[in-house]
Amino acid sequence: MTTALLIFTLSYAGIALGRIPGLALDRVGIAILGAIAMVVFKVVSPAEAVRAIDFPTLCLLYGLMIISAQLRLGGFYTFTAEKILFLVARPRFFLFAVMVLAAVLSALLANDIVCFALAPILVWSLKRSGLTSVPFLIGLAVSSNIGSAATVIGNPQNMLIGQVGGLPFGDFFLWAAVPSALALLGAFAIIVWMYRKTLSALPETVTDERAHNWPVFDQWQSAKGLLATVVLVGLFLTDLPRDLSALAVAGALLLSRKMKSRDMTALVDWHLITLFCALFIIIHGVSQVHLTDRVLAALTSRGFSLTDPLFLTGLSTVLSNVFSNVPAVMLVIPCLDPLPLTPWYILAVSSTFAGNLFLLGSIANLIVVEKAADQGVTVSFREHARIGIPVTLSSLVILVAWAWVAG
């Protein structure tokens, strides 16, 4: 018991800090060390470690990343971004178009990859129009997080929650789409108000010149990716296993005469998949000492309940910003009862909304900031928090209100 708790505590403390002083370890490396320690110190046997990994969740994640890679290499993201560039002359409309586009794409595809593809195009076009890039970049980041909350395939933590909880794709969307749409409108209003002077300025120049490093739009390859997405969503509405459906569609895309499988698999986020594997082992190890059961019993004795929308939302928000959302939901999931499904919905949406609170709360945020920095545009932690805090608070209020109304 002592060993398991010590390894768990050190691992999650390292994940919360994001690094270990004096070492070049990141969160993934720390999680790997925690999983190794669980096996080396015989808290978990090698066979148990393999069984602890939820392979259906990893298969679902992998399949969706392949589909996103198909669309990115096919130039679909370039094409869609170019189609809204004419709105640069009207900054507020352009911001709205960017946020809606990012939200919709993130609901159907991995939000991290959407930001990875759109951020460079957005920065490039804004620099050449003479507009300040920061409001639009923050809009891209927060809207991709909000939009991804609307479906069980929008982000890694939703995939995990949906897979473990067996959440129906259609029912989840019908429940989560309302708070996501309202939160998106709220985020847009907040950004417009906070940057009202900046967004009132007219661009100095508007150009449709193409940057050399944008993926060239290929109508056939993009159509294949879109068809694959439509087929996959259709399969998700059936009783077929989601992981097998995603793998089958991804396998079909890999059978290509032009798109190299090496290029497609290079866009798979192997670090994220490795993080999942390590966290599954760590959580399984600490479950051996029934830590989650004890925590749940302690909360219940003090009058708290995970069926209370306000408490669950607050808990999810705090844990997501301390440990990051994927490790956070792995902590909470064992405490949830299979029924009713509403707490599972709240956990998925709240942990995703919570990613907008601070810059480090979401990988999508970091991707946008890094891609902007590559082109000389800085989005500071403070500037993001100035928008992220009110956006997150308004989104969470909407979520709690919706949970009480929807029941």
Side-chain angles (χ1 to χ4, degrees):
M1 180 185 299
T2 302
T3 304
L5 290 176
L6 181 61
I7 294 172
F8 168 80
T9 302
L10 291 176
S11 298
Y12 264 71
I15 290 170
L17 291 173
R19 64 186 183 87
I20 295 179
L23 298 176
L25 281 172
D26 58 9
R27 284 186 170 90
V28 178
I30 293 168
I32 293 172
L33 286 180
I36 292 173
M38 285 289 185
V39 176
V40 169
F41 290 99
K42 300 182 179 180
V43 176
V44 176
S45 69
E48 287 176 329
V50 173
R51 289 195 296 269
I53 298 173
D54 191 330
F55 284 99
T57 299
L58 299 184
C59 292
L60 175 62
L61 188 61
Y62 177 83
L64 288 168
M65 287 179 176
I66 290 295
I67 295 174
S68 288
Q70 172 75 32
L71 289 170
R72 182 167 185 267
L73 293 174
F76 172 74
Y77 295 122
T78 302
F79 174 78
T80 53
E82 286 180 327
K83 288 300 179 182
I84 64 171
L85 285 183
F86 72 95
L87 290 173
V88 169
R90 305 176 70 182
R92 296 186 182 186
F93 284 98
F94 183 61
L95 173 65
F96 184 75
V98 167
M99 293 181 70
V100 171
L101 175 64
V104 172
L105 290 177
S106 296
L108 296 174
L109 303 164
N111 62 336
D112 298 347
I113 296 180
V114 170
C115 287
F116 187 87
L118 292 184
I121 303 172
L122 183 61
V123 176
W124 184 89
S125 60
L126 289 168
K127 288 180 68 175
R128 281 152 182 76
S129 70
L131 290 174
T132 302
S133 300
V134 174
F136 301 92
L137 291 170
I138 294 177
L140 171 62
V142 300
S143 61
S144 68
N145 287 324
I146 291 172
S148 72
T151 66
V152 293
I153 60 172
N155 55 63
Q157 66 270 16
N158 277 21
M159 295 179 203
L160 174 63
I161 294 169
Q163 198 70 18
V164 175
L167 306 184
F169 184 90
D171 292 348
F172 181 94
F173 174 74
L174 292 175
W175 195 95
V178 174
S180 296
L182 294 176
L184 182 65
L185 292 175
F188 172 72
I190 289 170
I191 294 175
V192 168
W193 172 254
M194 298 293 281
Y195 292 103
R196 53 191 179 278
K197 293 183 179 180
T198 302
L199 295 175
S200 297
L202 295 177
E204 299 173 3
T205 58
V206 178
T207 178
D208 59 358
E209 180 187 357
R210 177 188 296 274
H212 296 298
N213 59 343
W214 292 8
V216 178
F217 176 64
D218 187 311
Q219 185 174 4
W220 168 242
Q221 297 298 337
S222 294
K224 282 174 60 179
L226 290 174
L227 178 61
T229 304
V230 172
V231 169
L232 188 60
V233 171
L235 292 174
F236 284 164
L237 296 174
T238 69
D239 293 330
L240 294 173
R242 282 199 286 263
D243 54 313
L244 298 183
S245 298
L247 284 179
V249 173
L253 290 177
L254 290 173
L255 293 172
S256 174
R257 292 186 300 171
K258 293 185 177 181
M259 201 78 76
K260 294 181 179 179
S261 57
R262 177 182 294 272
D263 294 336
M264 295 181 70
T265 55
L267 293 176
V268 173
D269 192 341
W270 296 107
H271 285 83
L272 179 61
I273 291 177
T274 304
L275 175 64
F276 265 68
C277 293
L279 289 174
F280 279 130
I281 296 171
I282 293 173
I283 296 299
H284 179 73
V286 81
S287 70
Q288 304 285 70
V289 297
H290 306 289
L291 176 63
T292 54
D293 295 336
R294 296 179 183 184
V295 172
L296 181 59
L299 292 174
T300 303
S301 66
R302 288 169 172 75
F304 297 108
S305 173
L306 293 181
T307 58
D308 178 3
L310 182 59
F311 174 70
L312 179 56
T313 298
L315 178 66
S316 170
T317 301
V318 172
L319 292 178
S320 294
N321 278 279
V322 172
F323 301 121
S324 186
N325 38 34
V326 171
V329 300
M330 285 191 175
L331 280 176
V332 179
I333 282 175
C335 300
L336 294 180
D337 292 327
L339 293 173
L341 293 180
T342 299
W344 293 82
Y345 297 160
I346 294 173
L347 177 61
V349 178
S350 62
S351 63
T352 303
F353 285 176
N356 283 328
L357 188 64
F358 297 117
L359 187 60
L360 301 178
S362 166
I363 297 298
N365 297 344
L366 297 176
I367 289 173
V368 170
V369 170
E370 289 173 1
K371 291 300 175 183
D374 289 343
Q375 298 190 48
V377 177
T378 300
V379 181
S380 67
F381 181 93
R382 181 177 180 180
E383 187 65 17
H384 180 276
R386 192 170 75 92
I387 307 301
I389 291 174
V391 165
T392 302
L393 293 178
S394 65
S395 301
L396 294 176
V397 168
I398 291 170
L399 171 61
V400 172
W402 173 248
W404 278 328
V405 170

